[in-house]
Amino acid sequence: MTLQRHWQVYETFRLRFEATANSAAEQENDPRLRGLSVSKRQFERWYGGAVKTRPYPDQCRVLEAMFGVSVVQLLAPAPTASLPAPATAASFVVPPPRPVPALLPSEQAVVLPAGGPSNSETRFDAGTTELERQVAMAARRALRFTAMAEGSSIGPETLGQIHDEVRRLTVAYPKLALPTLLGDLVEVQDLTFRLLEHGRVKPLQARELYLLAGITSGMLAKASHDLGNPSAAMMQARTAFVCANNADHHAMRAWVRSLQSLISYWAGRPAEAADYADLGQAAAGSVRGTTSVWLACLSARAHALLGDGEATRAAIQRAEDARAAVQPDDLDGFGGIMTFPEPRQLYYVAEATVHLGEDAALGESQSEAAVAAYRTASEEEWAFGDEAGAQTDLALARLARGEIEGVAEAVRPVLDLPVEQRNFGITSSAQRVHAALPSGGRRATGVAADLREEIEAFTASPTSVLIR
C-alpha cells in the first residue's frame, strides 16, 4: 500500500503521518494525537515487515486513518503467490532501493532511504509491486550465489550476469531518479572489486571485468556528481580511469575524461573542464563511437563559459564532423549513459550558444530544437536530466530577449519535477535562471518575482535532502 501511494520515501511518509495525526486530533478532539510523528527507524521496520509487536494504540489509530484498513491487515505478511517463469540473468527488474552507504567522503555513515520518482508524467514507471520486488531480490541473490559457487576462479556465468546487470543500470540511469538505482550500483561495484581482488581471473576475463568495474565506477562518479559532491565524483572517476587503463580500453579512457570534464563544468571550473575534454580527445585516438561527439560538445560548453567564441564554434563543428563519422562501439552497445544520442548533442550545442551570449535569437532557436527533440525522443534516447537542461537553456535564451512570460513557460516542466529528480545539474541550471532574472526595478515585479520565489523553493529541496 505504501508503494501504491508513493509514500515509500521516509520524509514523504512522515509528513503524511503527521498531517493525518493532526487532522484526527481535530476531528476526534483528542490533543494526544496532535504532533504525533514516526521515527525513521520505526518507519523502516514497518516498511520492511520487521514488526513483531503491534504499534502503540495512538499510532494504530493514525495508520488506520491513513490507509483505511486495520493495523492487523496492514502489517500482516504479504500473501504468497506462485511465481511466473523463473527470472533469468537478462531479466532484472528495477527494484525499490534499500538503504545503502552514501557516496560522500565522510567517516559518518550516511544512509539513503527507499524512494523513487513520484511524478506521474515520468516516462519510465519506477513503481514495483511486492511480487516484482521479491523477484528482483532473488535475482540479485542469485548473482551473488553464482559468483560464490563458481569458486575462486571466475566462470562465464558470473561474468555474463554481471555484464547484463551493468547494461541494465546503464540503460536505466538517464531515465530513473538516483534513489532507485544507487543501491544496485554500489552492490555491483563491490562485487566486481571483490572478484578482481580475490578471484583467479584469466587475462581476457580480467579485461572485461575491469571494463565492467570502470563503467560501474563511472556511474557512481555521476551519482556523486548528481548529489552535488564533485570531490567524491572525481574520486570515483579516477578509479574508473584506472580500470579503463587495466582493461586497455581507449574508448573507456575517453569516456572517463568526458565525465571528468562534465564534473568540472558543473563545479564551476570551465578551464579544467576544457582541459579534461582535450585529454579525452588525446586518449580517444581512433575511437569512432559517440564518445567522440560528447568530447567535442563538452569542449564547446566549457569554452562558451570562458567566453571564447572561436574555440566554441570550432568545437561545435568538430562535434558535427564526429557525428557524421560515428561508428558505434562496444560502449554504445551498453546504451543509456554510455552513449551520446543526437538530442543530447542538440542540448549541449544550445547551451554553449546561450552561455556564449553572442546571438540570443540563435540560442533560442537551438534550445527550442533541443526541447522538441526530447519531446519526440525514443525511449533509448530520452533522459530527464538533459531534457530539463534544454528547458532551462530555453528559459535563459528567452530572458536574453526580454521575454519574461516565455521564461516561465520554459522552466515550468523543470519546477514540476519531484525531489527525487532534482539532481545537482538540474538545480544548478535552475539557479542560473534565477540569477539571470531581473531583481530590481519594474521588470522584477509580477511574473519575475513569482518565478524567483518558485526557483528558490525548488532548489531548497534537491535530491541530496533524501540522504540521512
Side-chain angles (χ1 to χ4, degrees):
M1 289 186 177
T2 305
L3 277 173
Q4 293 171 355
R5 289 168 170 80
H6 306 291
W7 295 348
Q8 63 266 42
V9 178
Y10 165 66
E11 291 294 333
T12 303
F13 184 94
R14 180 181 61 81
L15 292 173
R16 179 65 62 175
F17 185 96
E18 292 172 355
T20 304
N22 291 336
S23 177
E26 292 183 7
Q27 293 176 6
E28 300 177 20
N29 195 25
D30 188 345
R32 292 181 307 165
L33 297 180
R34 189 177 306 281
L36 190 65
S37 188
V38 60
S39 69
K40 185 170 185 294
R41 175 178 290 237
Q42 185 63 61
F43 164 74
E44 291 174 347
R45 290 178 68 247
W46 291 344
Y47 185 68
V51 181
K52 296 181 180 179
T53 60
R54 185 177 299 185
Y56 295 123
D58 288 342
Q59 291 177 325
C60 290
R61 292 165 63 189
V62 175
L63 288 171
E64 289 174 350
M66 286 174 66
F67 293 96
V69 299
S70 70
V71 168
V72 173
Q73 180 181 350
L74 185 64
L75 300 181
T80 58
S82 58
L83 293 176
T88 65
S91 62
F92 284 92
V93 296
V94 179
R98 22 178 222 299
V100 296
L103 303 173
L104 308 180
S106 168
E107 294 181 358
Q108 180 181 3
V110 185
V111 175
L112 185 72
S118 59
N119 184 3
S120 62
E121 295 183 2
T122 300
R123 291 175 49 169
F124 196 100
D125 183 10
T128 54
T129 66
E130 177 63 21
L131 186 60
E132 290 172 328
R133 187 180 72 85
Q134 292 177 20
V135 171
M137 290 175 62
R140 290 196 302 274
R141 179 69 180 89
L143 174 59
R144 292 193 297 272
F145 175 79
T146 303
M148 180 275 295
E150 288 192 326
S152 59
S153 60
I154 298 174
E157 295 303 322
T158 297
L159 207 54
Q161 282 188 304
I162 295 173
H163 186 282
D164 289 343
E165 178 69 344
V166 170
R167 186 178 186 281
R168 177 183 74 82
L169 292 169
T170 62
V171 170
Y173 197 106
K175 301 175 177 62
L176 296 183
L178 180 57
T180 311
L181 301 172
L182 186 54
D184 290 346
L185 283 170
V186 173
E187 186 171 340
V188 173
Q189 184 195 51
D190 179 66
L191 178 58
T192 57
F193 283 0
R194 283 192 287 111
L195 290 173
L196 286 166
E197 289 169 347
H198 304 298
R200 290 192 319 210
V201 188
K202 297 176 183 178
L204 289 179
Q205 291 176 325
R207 289 187 65 177
E208 184 172 358
L209 196 54
Y210 270 117
L211 175 62
L212 295 173
I215 292 173
T216 308
S217 298
M219 284 191 282
L220 284 170
K222 182 63 165 60
S224 298
H225 158 74
D226 285 341
L227 293 175
N229 193 315
S231 176
M234 279 297 185
M235 191 181 305
Q236 292 279 2
R238 292 186 183 102
T239 299
F241 193 82
V242 169
C243 291
N245 268 339
N246 286 341
D248 194 23
H249 200 288
H250 294 305
M252 189 63 197
R253 291 189 187 100
W255 189 90
V256 176
R257 292 305 190 201
S258 301
L259 182 63
Q260 290 174 311
S261 177
L262 179 145
I263 294 166
S264 299
Y265 172 81
W266 287 108
R269 302 191 294 265
E272 183 178 284
D275 288 342
Y276 274 121
D278 290 342
L279 285 172
Q281 290 172 20
S286 59
V287 171
R288 292 292 178 267
T290 61
T291 298
S292 60
V293 186
W294 190 18
L295 283 165
C297 288
L298 287 161
S299 181
R301 290 202 313 185
H303 284 294
L305 280 187
L306 292 170
D308 190 336
E310 183 177 352
T312 300
R313 288 185 289 274
I316 291 174
Q317 185 59 54
R318 286 200 307 274
E320 293 177 0
D321 295 342
R323 175 67 66 185
V326 159
Q327 297 175 8
D329 56 19
D330 56 342
L331 294 188
D332 291 310
F334 279 91
I337 195 174
M338 301 307 297
T339 192
F340 193 80
E342 291 190 37
R344 198 175 180 197
Q345 180 179 353
L346 293 174
Y347 154 51
Y348 273 56
V349 169
E351 184 151 295
T353 304
V354 169
H355 290 315
L356 188 60
E358 293 182 348
D359 190 335
L362 178 61
E364 183 175 10
S365 65
Q366 289 178 339
S367 298
E368 288 174 342
V371 169
Y374 274 110
R375 286 176 178 167
T376 59
S378 65
E379 190 67 34
E380 292 75 23
E381 294 180 333
W382 182 77
F384 74 86
D386 294 332
E387 182 177 33
Q391 294 281 168
T392 54
D393 287 338
L394 179 57
L396 287 170
R398 288 177 175 174
L399 257 177
R401 292 168 60 81
E403 302 173 4
I404 299 297
E405 296 286 345
V407 173
E409 178 189 10
V411 81
R412 172 53 48 204
V414 180
L415 299 181
D416 288 340
L417 290 174
V419 173
E420 293 88 344
Q421 292 182 321
R422 298 178 193 176
N423 64 36
F424 181 67
I426 291 175
T427 56
S428 296
S429 295
Q431 286 169 343
R432 286 173 171 172
V433 177
H434 181 276
L437 283 166
S439 58
R442 184 170 56 84
R443 293 184 68 219
T445 61
V447 176
D450 292 344
L451 195 53
R452 286 174 65 87
E453 290 183 5
E454 279 198 77
I455 293 174
E456 287 167 6
F458 175 83
T459 56
S461 300
T463 302
S464 57
V465 302
L466 298 177
I467 296 183
R468 292 291 183 270

Short mmCIF file of all heavy atoms in Angstrom, two decimals, residues 3 34 51 55 64 67 116 122 144 174 207-208 217 233 300 306 320 383 388 395 420 429 459 461-462:
data_model
loop_
_atom_site.label_atom_id
_atom_site.label_comp_id
_atom_site.label_asym_id
_atom_site.label_seq_id
_atom_site.Cartn_x
_atom_site.Cartn_y
_atom_site.Cartn_z
N LEU A 3 3.79 1.59 -1.42
CA LEU A 3 4.27 1.78 -2.79
C LEU A 3 3.17 2.34 -3.68
O LEU A 3 3.41 3.22 -4.51
CB LEU A 3 4.77 0.46 -3.35
CG LEU A 3 6.21 0.05 -3.00
CD1 LEU A 3 6.47 -1.36 -3.49
CD2 LEU A 3 7.20 1.01 -3.60
N ARG A 34 -2.14 15.29 18.40
CA ARG A 34 -1.53 16.46 17.76
C ARG A 34 -0.01 16.38 17.89
O ARG A 34 0.54 16.19 18.97
CB ARG A 34 -2.05 17.74 18.39
CG ARG A 34 -1.61 19.00 17.63
CD ARG A 34 -2.22 20.25 18.26
NE ARG A 34 -3.67 20.14 18.36
CZ ARG A 34 -4.50 20.34 17.34
NH1 ARG A 34 -4.01 20.64 16.14
NH2 ARG A 34 -5.80 20.23 17.50
N VAL A 51 8.19 -6.41 11.99
CA VAL A 51 7.31 -5.98 13.07
C VAL A 51 6.88 -7.21 13.87
O VAL A 51 6.21 -8.10 13.34
CB VAL A 51 6.06 -5.25 12.52
CG1 VAL A 51 5.17 -4.79 13.67
CG2 VAL A 51 6.48 -4.08 11.67
N PRO A 55 2.03 -1.67 16.84
CA PRO A 55 2.38 -0.30 17.23
C PRO A 55 1.53 0.16 18.41
O PRO A 55 0.51 -0.44 18.75
CB PRO A 55 2.07 0.51 15.96
CG PRO A 55 2.12 -0.48 14.85
CD PRO A 55 1.65 -1.77 15.42
N GLU A 64 -4.42 3.47 10.65
CA GLU A 64 -5.71 3.02 10.10
C GLU A 64 -6.42 4.16 9.39
O GLU A 64 -7.09 3.96 8.37
CB GLU A 64 -6.57 2.46 11.23
CG GLU A 64 -6.05 1.12 11.75
CD GLU A 64 -6.81 0.61 12.96
OE1 GLU A 64 -7.62 1.37 13.52
OE2 GLU A 64 -6.58 -0.56 13.35
N PHE A 67 -4.56 4.55 5.86
CA PHE A 67 -4.70 3.51 4.84
C PHE A 67 -6.11 2.95 4.71
O PHE A 67 -6.41 2.24 3.75
CB PHE A 67 -3.73 2.37 5.12
CG PHE A 67 -2.29 2.75 4.97
CD1 PHE A 67 -1.53 3.12 6.07
CD2 PHE A 67 -1.70 2.75 3.72
CE1 PHE A 67 -0.19 3.47 5.92
CE2 PHE A 67 -0.37 3.11 3.56
CZ PHE A 67 0.39 3.47 4.68
N GLY A 116 11.51 6.61 -4.93
CA GLY A 116 11.62 6.62 -6.38
C GLY A 116 10.82 7.76 -6.93
O GLY A 116 10.20 8.52 -6.21
N THR A 122 6.50 11.10 -15.44
CA THR A 122 7.77 10.47 -15.76
C THR A 122 7.55 9.36 -16.78
O THR A 122 6.66 8.54 -16.63
CB THR A 122 8.41 9.89 -14.48
OG1 THR A 122 8.62 10.96 -13.58
CG2 THR A 122 9.73 9.23 -14.80
N ARG A 144 24.95 -13.11 -6.61
CA ARG A 144 25.98 -13.30 -5.59
C ARG A 144 26.29 -14.77 -5.40
O ARG A 144 27.46 -15.15 -5.24
CB ARG A 144 25.50 -12.67 -4.27
CG ARG A 144 25.41 -11.15 -4.29
CD ARG A 144 25.25 -10.58 -2.89
NE ARG A 144 24.02 -11.03 -2.25
CZ ARG A 144 22.86 -10.42 -2.37
NH1 ARG A 144 22.75 -9.33 -3.11
NH2 ARG A 144 21.79 -10.88 -1.75
N PRO A 174 19.81 7.24 -17.14
CA PRO A 174 19.28 8.53 -17.59
C PRO A 174 17.78 8.69 -17.40
O PRO A 174 17.26 9.80 -17.50
CB PRO A 174 19.62 8.56 -19.10
CG PRO A 174 20.64 7.48 -19.30
CD PRO A 174 20.32 6.45 -18.27
N ARG A 207 40.23 -8.31 -18.39
CA ARG A 207 39.99 -7.11 -19.18
C ARG A 207 38.51 -6.75 -19.18
O ARG A 207 38.13 -5.59 -19.02
CB ARG A 207 40.48 -7.31 -20.61
CG ARG A 207 41.99 -7.35 -20.75
CD ARG A 207 42.43 -7.38 -22.19
NE ARG A 207 42.07 -6.16 -22.90
CZ ARG A 207 42.39 -5.92 -24.16
NH1 ARG A 207 43.08 -6.81 -24.86
NH2 ARG A 207 42.01 -4.80 -24.74
N GLU A 208 37.65 -7.76 -19.35
CA GLU A 208 36.22 -7.47 -19.37
C GLU A 208 35.73 -7.05 -17.99
O GLU A 208 34.92 -6.12 -17.86
CB GLU A 208 35.42 -8.69 -19.84
CG GLU A 208 33.93 -8.40 -19.95
CD GLU A 208 33.15 -9.52 -20.61
OE1 GLU A 208 33.77 -10.53 -21.02
OE2 GLU A 208 31.91 -9.41 -20.69
N SER A 217 32.00 2.22 -11.81
CA SER A 217 32.62 3.33 -11.07
C SER A 217 32.29 4.66 -11.73
O SER A 217 32.10 5.67 -11.05
CB SER A 217 34.13 3.13 -10.99
OG SER A 217 34.46 1.95 -10.28
N ALA A 233 32.90 12.60 -6.63
CA ALA A 233 32.72 12.24 -8.04
C ALA A 233 34.08 12.04 -8.72
O ALA A 233 34.27 11.08 -9.47
CB ALA A 233 31.93 13.33 -8.76
N ALA A 300 32.92 22.56 -26.30
CA ALA A 300 32.15 23.74 -26.70
C ALA A 300 31.52 24.42 -25.49
O ALA A 300 31.58 25.65 -25.35
CB ALA A 300 31.06 23.33 -27.70
N LEU A 306 33.98 30.23 -20.83
CA LEU A 306 35.22 31.03 -20.79
C LEU A 306 35.13 32.25 -21.70
O LEU A 306 36.05 33.08 -21.71
CB LEU A 306 36.41 30.16 -21.20
CG LEU A 306 36.78 29.04 -20.21
CD1 LEU A 306 37.81 28.10 -20.84
CD2 LEU A 306 37.32 29.61 -18.90
N GLU A 320 29.90 18.09 -35.02
CA GLU A 320 29.15 17.73 -36.23
C GLU A 320 29.95 16.77 -37.11
O GLU A 320 29.39 15.80 -37.65
CB GLU A 320 28.80 19.00 -37.00
CG GLU A 320 27.80 19.91 -36.27
CD GLU A 320 27.53 21.19 -37.02
OE1 GLU A 320 28.12 21.37 -38.11
OE2 GLU A 320 26.74 22.02 -36.54
N ALA A 383 16.28 11.33 -21.68
CA ALA A 383 16.91 11.46 -20.37
C ALA A 383 16.27 12.64 -19.66
O ALA A 383 16.27 13.75 -20.19
CB ALA A 383 18.41 11.66 -20.50
N ALA A 388 15.54 18.51 -18.92
CA ALA A 388 15.42 19.66 -18.02
C ALA A 388 16.46 20.71 -18.35
O ALA A 388 16.18 21.92 -18.30
CB ALA A 388 15.56 19.20 -16.57
N ALA A 395 14.81 28.88 -21.32
CA ALA A 395 14.42 29.98 -20.43
C ALA A 395 15.48 31.08 -20.43
O ALA A 395 15.15 32.28 -20.50
CB ALA A 395 14.22 29.44 -19.01
N GLU A 420 13.07 13.61 -5.98
CA GLU A 420 13.93 12.51 -6.39
C GLU A 420 14.69 12.80 -7.69
O GLU A 420 15.72 12.21 -7.96
CB GLU A 420 13.11 11.22 -6.56
CG GLU A 420 12.54 10.67 -5.26
CD GLU A 420 11.18 11.25 -4.94
OE1 GLU A 420 10.81 12.29 -5.55
OE2 GLU A 420 10.47 10.69 -4.09
N SER A 429 21.13 24.41 -13.01
CA SER A 429 20.54 25.06 -14.18
C SER A 429 19.42 26.01 -13.77
O SER A 429 19.30 27.12 -14.29
CB SER A 429 19.99 24.00 -15.15
OG SER A 429 21.04 23.20 -15.67
N THR A 459 15.04 24.81 -5.53
CA THR A 459 16.45 24.48 -5.28
C THR A 459 16.73 24.23 -3.81
O THR A 459 17.78 23.67 -3.46
CB THR A 459 17.37 25.60 -5.78
OG1 THR A 459 16.99 26.84 -5.17
CG2 THR A 459 17.26 25.74 -7.29
N SER A 461 15.19 22.10 -2.07
CA SER A 461 14.93 20.67 -1.80
C SER A 461 15.48 19.82 -2.94
O SER A 461 14.73 19.23 -3.72
CB SER A 461 13.42 20.42 -1.64
OG SER A 461 12.90 21.16 -0.56
N PRO A 462 16.81 19.73 -3.07
CA PRO A 462 17.40 18.87 -4.10
C PRO A 462 17.35 17.41 -3.70
O PRO A 462 16.95 17.07 -2.57
CB PRO A 462 18.85 19.37 -4.16
CG PRO A 462 19.14 19.82 -2.76
CD PRO A 462 17.84 20.40 -2.26
#
